Amino acid sequence: MIENIKLSNGVAMPMQGFGVFQIPEEDTERVVLDAIETGFRSFDTAFSYNNEKAVGNALKKAIDAGMVKREELFITTKAYIQQMGYEKTLAAFYESLNKLQLDYLDLYLVHMPFGDYYGSWRAMEELYKAGKIRAIGVCNFDSARLMDLCYNAEIRPMVNQIERHPHYQRLNEIEVMKRLGVQPEGWAPFAEGLRGMFEEPVLKEIADKYGKTVAQVILRWDIQSGVVIIPKSVHKERMEQNIGIWDFTLDEEDMENIRRMDTGAPSMLDCTKPSEVDRLYDYLKNPVLTTL
């Protein structure tokens, strides 16, 4: 049974959700329906993923069929760089809401720390006050940008979604988030297998100890660190494995051994690197995943 965590505004958010990044639109409906059958209730998409409509179709089918009630779902989407600014974000929100075939969103996020995200934040605050969004937040904000937004916004972000995995643990940044009352949410919890993640001896040894997979150990480590996770898989058996992390607990020695794996460097995204900034601004036309 997936546990919830309370955001700063009291909204309950599942600690484990399901991401749909890089799932082709033609496969997304099936995958989301499989995930709902498996037990997932939190789903994370974005305008830039080009599959919001397919996610919406799956949600409508599941609700209409009685598989799940709308109030049991926690749906997240995001506004991209080209949708930043007050007017643009208002329009982007309703475009995403229509594609998702919903009356409200559970979480709406600024996807990248670029463009006029202050104008966007004002729009999101208005939508939040109007009850169209239950929680608002950001993605990929470093501590300085997050602090600056928190110190100037009327309503502070409730979530900061960041790249987070054993090779890039961001412990100091997570401490800043906790101090600000911002819930950390980790994307790419497996770093998409880059840099030998699934072959790490430390993780394999811990997995053997508990009779679990390396992926399950990573997800459990995140949960015990207080980080919300959104793993992705298009295979139902792996969805079942990913959700099977609520029946064991890593001990402190395990947690410490994983902490020692931190390299302090991202595998997927570096918003301080000029080539990465260029890539992100060009992403909608040319969806290259990383220059790292």
Side-chain angles (χ1 to χ4, degrees):
M1 184 73 174
I2 296 173
E3 296 176 5
N4 292 334
I5 195 164
K6 279 201 173 179
L7 302 180
S8 60
N9 65 345
V11 166
M13 179 180 188
M15 286 205 74
Q16 185 175 16
F18 189 90
V20 299
F21 178 51
Q22 288 182 271
I23 299 179
E25 186 172 17
E26 60 270 21
D27 297 331
T28 300
E29 185 177 317
R30 171 191 61 80
V31 169
V32 171
L33 285 169
D34 282 349
I36 290 172
E37 273 191 7
T38 304
F40 287 95
R41 295 295 179 264
S42 176
F43 292 89
D44 178 276
T45 185
F47 170 80
S48 63
Y49 298 174
N50 288 317
N51 57 18
E52 287 176 311
K53 188 174 183 192
V55 171
N57 288 341
L59 298 177
K60 187 175 189 306
K61 279 189 178 178
I63 293 168
D64 289 348
M67 291 172 61
V68 67
K69 297 177 181 176
R70 170 62 184 100
E71 56 268 25
E72 296 171 343
L73 294 167
F74 192 97
I75 308 302
T76 302
T77 193
K78 314 174 191 80
Y80 202 65
I81 301 167
Q82 282 79 7
Q83 297 172 311
M84 291 295 96
Y86 177 83
E87 296 290 347
K88 287 182 180 179
T89 296
L90 281 179
F93 169 79
Y94 284 106
E95 180 182 350
S96 289
L97 197 67
N98 288 335
K99 286 180 181 175
L100 290 164
Q101 302 174 60
L102 299 174
D103 296 323
Y104 65 92
L105 280 179
D106 298 281
L107 179 62
Y108 197 43
L109 302 174
V110 170
H111 202 160
M112 293 291 169
F114 301 113
D116 179 19
Y117 57 79
Y118 272 93
S120 295
W121 195 254
R122 289 194 301 276
M124 290 165 66
E125 287 175 330
E126 284 187 15
L127 292 163
Y128 172 75
K129 289 178 187 176
K132 302 301 290 184
I133 315 171
R134 297 177 67 223
I136 52 179
V138 297
C139 302
N140 305 307
F141 275 51
D142 63 20
S143 293
R145 289 192 190 231
L146 183 64
M147 291 171 70
D148 188 54
L149 181 58
C150 284
Y151 293 161
N152 287 283
E154 179 186 349
I155 301 169
R156 287 186 174 186
M158 291 131 201
V159 171
N160 185 18
Q161 191 182 110
I162 56 170
E163 177 185 349
R164 149 86 178 188
H165 44 75
H167 290 160
Y168 191 39
Q169 300 186 22
R170 314 181 78 164
L171 300 178
N172 291 336
E173 292 179 76
I174 288 173
E175 282 304 311
V176 170
M177 290 183 221
K178 288 179 181 176
R179 178 165 62 84
L180 295 169
V182 178
Q183 173 62 45
E185 180 178 18
W187 61 265
F190 312 133
E192 301 197 354
L194 294 174
R195 302 179 188 178
M197 179 68 75
F198 291 118
E199 301 305 317
E200 284 284 1
V202 169
L203 296 176
K204 292 174 85 170
E205 184 177 337
I206 295 172
D208 289 342
K209 174 180 171 181
Y210 293 97
K212 295 290 184 177
T213 66
V214 167
Q216 288 171 319
V217 167
I218 292 170
L219 296 178
R220 186 67 209 179
W221 161 75
D222 264 318
I223 292 295
Q224 288 182 217
S225 303
V227 177
V228 172
I229 44 170
I230 44 171
K232 175 202 80 177
S233 178
V234 298
H235 304 290
K236 197 168 184 183
E237 63 272 20
R238 287 194 187 151
M239 296 178 197
E240 291 166 353
Q241 287 179 9
N242 287 343
I243 212 170
I245 62 170
W246 298 95
D247 59 352
F248 77 110
T249 303
L250 301 175
D251 62 33
E252 184 49 43
E253 182 181 5
D254 301 324
M255 297 292 284
E256 180 57 34
N257 286 336
I258 295 173
R259 276 192 285 270
R260 292 197 187 104
M261 293 175 58
D262 191 8
T263 68
S267 300
M268 305 289 298
L269 174 66
D270 185 351
C271 290
T272 68
K273 187 177 177 184
S275 60
E276 282 284 270
V277 177
D278 282 338
R279 176 182 71 84
L280 293 170
Y281 267 88
D282 193 45
Y283 182 82
L284 296 182
K285 295 177 181 176
N286 184 28
V288 174
L289 294 184
T290 184
T291 64
L292 302 184

